[in-house]
PDB file of all heavy atoms in Angstrom:
ATOM      1  N   ASP W 154     -17.534   7.097   6.185  1.00 95.00           N
ATOM      2  CA  ASP W 154     -16.073   7.031   6.082  1.00 95.00           C
ATOM      3  C   ASP W 154     -15.644   5.760   5.386  1.00 95.00           C
ATOM      4  O   ASP W 154     -14.495   5.230   5.555  1.00 95.00           O
ATOM      5  CB  ASP W 154     -15.458   7.031   7.504  1.00 95.00           C
ATOM      6  CG  ASP W 154     -15.818   8.251   8.261  1.00 95.00           C
ATOM      7  OD1 ASP W 154     -15.455   9.368   7.842  1.00 95.00           O
ATOM      8  OD2 ASP W 154     -16.435   8.132   9.362  1.00 95.00           O
ATOM      9  N   LYS W 155     -16.543   5.207   4.549  1.00 94.00           N
ATOM     10  CA  LYS W 155     -16.332   3.855   4.019  1.00 94.00           C
ATOM     11  C   LYS W 155     -15.059   3.753   3.171  1.00 94.00           C
ATOM     12  O   LYS W 155     -14.863   4.562   2.228  1.00 94.00           O
ATOM     13  CB  LYS W 155     -17.547   3.469   3.200  1.00 94.00           C
ATOM     14  CG  LYS W 155     -17.481   2.122   2.513  1.00 94.00           C
ATOM     15  CD  LYS W 155     -18.714   1.769   1.737  1.00 94.00           C
ATOM     16  CE  LYS W 155     -18.808   2.602   0.449  1.00 94.00           C
ATOM     17  NZ  LYS W 155     -19.979   2.197  -0.396  1.00 94.00           N
ATOM     18  N   LEU W 156     -14.259   2.753   3.466  1.00 94.00           N
ATOM     19  CA  LEU W 156     -13.290   2.267   2.487  1.00 94.00           C
ATOM     20  C   LEU W 156     -13.930   1.135   1.706  1.00 94.00           C
ATOM     21  O   LEU W 156     -14.015   1.170   0.479  1.00 94.00           O
ATOM     22  CB  LEU W 156     -11.994   1.762   3.226  1.00 94.00           C
ATOM     23  CG  LEU W 156     -10.862   1.316   2.278  1.00 94.00           C
ATOM     24  CD1 LEU W 156     -10.260   2.518   1.537  1.00 94.00           C
ATOM     25  CD2 LEU W 156      -9.786   0.592   3.062  1.00 94.00           C
ATOM     26  N   VAL W 157     -14.405   0.126   2.445  1.00 95.00           N
ATOM     27  CA  VAL W 157     -15.164  -0.987   1.820  1.00 95.00           C
ATOM     28  C   VAL W 157     -16.148  -1.508   2.891  1.00 95.00           C
ATOM     29  O   VAL W 157     -15.755  -1.663   4.066  1.00 95.00           O
ATOM     30  CB  VAL W 157     -14.223  -2.170   1.433  1.00 95.00           C
ATOM     31  CG1 VAL W 157     -15.029  -3.344   0.932  1.00 95.00           C
ATOM     32  CG2 VAL W 157     -13.170  -1.716   0.409  1.00 95.00           C
ATOM     33  N   VAL W 158     -17.396  -1.797   2.447  1.00 96.00           N
ATOM     34  CA  VAL W 158     -18.238  -2.598   3.267  1.00 96.00           C
ATOM     35  C   VAL W 158     -18.235  -3.996   2.593  1.00 96.00           C
ATOM     36  O   VAL W 158     -18.809  -4.136   1.488  1.00 96.00           O
ATOM     37  CB  VAL W 158     -19.730  -2.043   3.291  1.00 96.00           C
ATOM     38  CG1 VAL W 158     -20.612  -3.043   4.052  1.00 96.00           C
ATOM     39  CG2 VAL W 158     -19.719  -0.701   3.997  1.00 96.00           C
ATOM     40  N   GLY W 159     -17.556  -4.912   3.224  1.00 94.00           N
ATOM     41  CA  GLY W 159     -17.361  -6.287   2.647  1.00 94.00           C
ATOM     42  C   GLY W 159     -18.546  -7.180   3.004  1.00 94.00           C
ATOM     43  O   GLY W 159     -19.341  -6.844   3.903  1.00 94.00           O
ATOM     44  N   VAL W 160     -18.623  -8.275   2.342  1.00 94.00           N
ATOM     45  CA  VAL W 160     -19.659  -9.287   2.544  1.00 94.00           C
ATOM     46  C   VAL W 160     -18.921 -10.606   2.690  1.00 94.00           C
ATOM     47  O   VAL W 160     -18.233 -11.059   1.801  1.00 94.00           O
ATOM     48  CB  VAL W 160     -20.650  -9.284   1.404  1.00 94.00           C
ATOM     49  CG1 VAL W 160     -21.688 -10.394   1.591  1.00 94.00           C
ATOM     50  CG2 VAL W 160     -21.346  -7.932   1.303  1.00 94.00           C
ATOM     51  N   THR W 161     -19.223 -11.299   3.796  1.00 93.00           N
ATOM     52  CA  THR W 161     -18.543 -12.563   4.135  1.00 93.00           C
ATOM     53  C   THR W 161     -18.842 -13.588   3.021  1.00 93.00           C
ATOM     54  O   THR W 161     -17.904 -14.289   2.565  1.00 93.00           O
ATOM     55  CB  THR W 161     -19.085 -13.119   5.447  1.00 93.00           C
ATOM     56  OG1 THR W 161     -18.832 -12.165   6.481  1.00 93.00           O
ATOM     57  CG2 THR W 161     -18.366 -14.437   5.807  1.00 93.00           C
ATOM     58  N   GLU W 162     -20.102 -13.676   2.537  1.00 93.00           N
ATOM     59  CA  GLU W 162     -20.398 -14.672   1.518  1.00 93.00           C
ATOM     60  C   GLU W 162     -19.889 -14.310   0.159  1.00 93.00           C
ATOM     61  O   GLU W 162     -19.948 -15.164  -0.823  1.00 93.00           O
ATOM     62  CB  GLU W 162     -21.941 -14.849   1.427  1.00 93.00           C
ATOM     63  CG  GLU W 162     -22.554 -15.536   2.694  1.00 93.00           C
ATOM     64  CD  GLU W 162     -22.828 -14.596   3.830  1.00 93.00           C
ATOM     65  OE1 GLU W 162     -22.480 -13.397   3.726  1.00 93.00           O
ATOM     66  OE2 GLU W 162     -23.462 -15.086   4.831  1.00 93.00           O
ATOM     67  N   GLU W 163     -19.360 -13.081  -0.033  1.00 92.00           N
ATOM     68  CA  GLU W 163     -18.760 -12.652  -1.273  1.00 92.00           C
ATOM     69  C   GLU W 163     -17.289 -12.223  -1.013  1.00 92.00           C
ATOM     70  O   GLU W 163     -16.856 -11.146  -1.378  1.00 92.00           O
ATOM     71  CB  GLU W 163     -19.542 -11.488  -1.895  1.00 92.00           C
ATOM     72  CG  GLU W 163     -20.957 -11.891  -2.227  1.00 92.00           C
ATOM     73  CD  GLU W 163     -21.109 -12.808  -3.391  1.00 92.00           C
ATOM     74  OE1 GLU W 163     -20.116 -13.075  -4.074  1.00 92.00           O
ATOM     75  OE2 GLU W 163     -22.244 -13.340  -3.584  1.00 92.00           O
TER      76      GLU W 163
END
Side-chain angles (χ1 to χ4, degrees):
D154 302 298
K155 178 179 72 174
L156 183 69
V157 176
V158 176
V160 175
T161 303
E162 289 84 355
E163 300 289 349

